[in-house]
Amino acid sequence: MRIAVPREIRDGEKRVALVPDVINKLTRLGYEVVIEAGAGVHSQATDDLYTAAGATVKSGNVISDADVVLSVTSLTPAQMGSLKKGAVTISFLSPVTGTDSIDAAASAGVTAFSLELVPRISRAQSMDALTSQALCAGYRAALVGAELSPRFFPMLMTAAGTVTPAQVLVLGAGVAGLQAIATARRLGGVVSAYDVRPSSADEVKSMGATFINLELEALEGAGGYAREMTEERAAKQRELLTPYIAKSHLVITTAAVPGRTAPRLMTAKMVDAMEAGTIIVDLAAETGGNVEGSKPGEIVVTAKGVQIWGGKDVPSQLPFHASSLYSRNVVNLLTLMTTPSKDGAPVSLNIDFTDEIIDKSATTHGGAKHTPGASEKGGAK
Ligand code: NAD
């Protein structure tokens, strides 16, 4: 049974699906691991390190004869079409927008798993790549904000006078937001945060930040995610947040609702009302933007001197640890569907749709799209 890891081909993608450290977990199960030459170049994972870890490094196409293909971003429809019938892929698949690749996987008889669909149950925490990558993005958001800011973050008492600490506001206190809070706090900033899920208040407080309570209706949805807000609710939220935004030196926005464009938390008018030198970091820039005027991969400077940093491929900006955490998520998911080699029997894949994690994260199987819960005992475990 051969696992292949191709080079990521999407522009700006610097992560790799397996780092050398995890190769022995797979070879111990009985798998052979083939890495495309140069796949780990941005993650300090050299071809020599892969070879030393027990993988085979090959140039050119490594996927067409593989039983399992691991990647970070989705394989293209053409790559899906080139795989062996019955092969398994694990990657982010963008199940809402990446339908071409999913259709191609179904036609090719490939079983394609989408990491976005791994259910948020405690047994699946070690496989939750959305969480591990959001952690990287949140950390990076605070560092970028501090770097762009013309101010110190900590309070300093110096012979030349006292420096007051930076006021940091984090909007959206999920995984990325909490990590942004923790990082901004470590830098010495005074942090407050808001989220539509009141259950995040205790987490915000436990990070040493202040939770802003706007006394608005809670928008707690299924699986720990938020629900979409109505335009009326959005306008009220923006109005109530305006005074908090106005006194901030750095605003980090991370708000998201799965499968939807990012909620608009700040209008251009709100940005215009901010002081020169204020920094806005919009981690949702790629999915529509929490902040009007933000552009993914760019720093927009307003006429008044406010800088809006639009996130693009943010976890990829920390490729070493983003790849390392991602690799562990992928290995844990693959291990769940592996029967290790034993007593002379070779390693094999056991795609058991009665396991909730496997059932919910598979998008295709047996030449068709997979519908979770379709198996007789689906979701029972
Ligand atoms: P996410 O990336 O979908 O959203 C980021 C944050 O934006 C969320 O906290 C959401 O409530 C918030 N948000 C949405 N609309 C908003 C708005 N209009 N204004 C302000 N904030 C808004 O979510 P996420 O960070 O991936 O996860 C959210 C929560 O899910 C986590 O905080 C955690 O409680 C839970 N979770 C559970 C598990 C698990 O049990 N295995 C794993 C990861 C996360």
Side-chain angles (χ1 to χ4, degrees):
M1 288 288 268
R2 180 177 297 171
I3 298 173
V5 176
R7 282 175 82 117
E8 295 291 325
I9 53 178
R10 197 173 63 82
D11 227 18
E13 183 53 72
K14 293 197 159 76
R15 294 167 289 179
V16 63
L18 284 184
V19 295
D21 278 2
V22 299
I23 302 288
N24 72 344
K25 289 190 196 309
L26 298 169
T27 50
R28 273 206 311 260
L29 294 172
Y31 285 113
E32 178 197 349
V33 182
V34 179
I35 310 281
E36 185 176 342
V41 69
H42 300 294
S43 307
Q44 283 70 53
T46 61
D47 292 348
D48 287 349
L49 285 174
Y50 281 117
T51 309
T56 304
V57 175
K58 261 179 65 179
S59 295
N61 180 351
V62 293
I63 61 173
S64 53
D65 60 353
D67 301 289
V68 178
V69 179
L70 305 177
S71 62
V72 180
T73 51
S74 167
L75 298 184
T76 63
Q79 285 177 312
M80 284 290 189
S82 74
L83 300 186
K84 278 197 326 199
K85 194 172 173 194
V88 162
T89 67
I90 302 179
S91 68
F92 285 122
L93 265 183
S94 310
V96 179
T97 53
T99 48
D100 288 356
S101 290
I102 295 172
D103 289 345
S107 308
V110 167
T111 304
F113 288 92
S114 168
L115 288 164
E116 291 95 333
L117 299 176
V118 169
R120 287 190 146 174
I121 55 174
S122 51
R123 191 165 59 88
Q125 274 180 5
S126 67
M127 307 162 205
D128 186 347
L130 280 182
T131 291
S132 71
Q133 303 306 295
L135 203 76
C136 298
Y139 171 79
R140 182 89 186 116
L143 292 190
V144 164
E147 191 171 328
L148 288 177
S149 175
R151 309 177 56 91
F152 270 115
F153 262 45
M155 186 175 95
L156 297 176
M157 311 272 251
T158 81
T162 300
V163 169
T164 54
Q167 302 289 327
V168 181
L169 174 63
V170 176
L171 301 178
V175 179
L178 290 173
Q179 189 55 37
I181 293 170
T183 308
R185 287 273 303 141
R186 284 184 204 116
L187 290 170
V190 174
V191 187
S192 33
Y194 172 70
D195 197 291
V196 291
R197 295 178 301 109
S199 59
S200 63
D202 285 344
E203 290 166 325
V204 166
K205 288 178 202 154
S206 74
M207 296 282 171
T210 306
F211 186 78
I212 298 169
N213 191 346
L214 299 182
E215 309 284 350
L216 288 173
E217 176 210 356
L219 293 178
E220 194 110 34
Y225 290 109
R227 280 187 288 123
E228 205 174 10
M229 47 183 183
T230 60
E231 189 38 48
E232 191 190 346
R233 163 74 160 72
K236 189 76 194 154
Q237 177 176 315
R238 288 194 289 262
E239 181 196 323
L240 294 173
L241 279 174
T242 298
Y244 296 96
I245 290 170
K247 64 176 188 195
S248 301
H249 302 116
L250 167 63
V251 179
I252 297 172
T253 67
T254 76
V257 177
R260 307 263 176 230
T261 49
R264 184 51 51 88
L265 307 186
M266 291 174 64
T267 59
K269 197 168 153 212
M270 290 162 86
V271 175
D272 281 344
M274 296 171 91
E275 297 287 329
T278 307
I279 310 300
I280 303 170
V281 172
D282 184 357
L283 277 190
E286 278 178 299
T287 51
N290 290 148
V291 181
E292 189 175 354
S294 75
K295 294 197 176 131
E298 290 184 31
I299 301 171
V300 174
V301 186
T302 69
K304 205 164 159 195
V306 173
Q307 297 185 69
I308 313 171
W309 187 88
K312 183 166 187 293
D313 298 319
V314 183
S316 244
Q317 296 173 16
L318 210 66
F320 179 83
H321 276 122
S323 300
S324 168
L325 296 172
Y326 183 88
S327 300
R328 285 168 176 79
N329 297 143
V330 164
V331 167
N332 290 329
L333 180 58
L334 181 59
T335 304
L336 183 71
M337 57 184 98
T338 297
T339 306
S341 73
K342 203 175 167 206
D343 301 331
V347 61
S348 61
L349 284 165
N350 173 26
I351 300 171
D352 173 8
F353 288 119
T354 64
D355 185 306
E356 182 184 358
I357 300 172
I358 291 176
D359 187 43
K360 289 196 168 150
S361 56
T363 60
T364 60
H365 184 65
K369 294 227 180 118
H370 172 73
T371 312
S375 98
E376 240 176 279
K377 292 181 266 170
K381 272 188 193 175

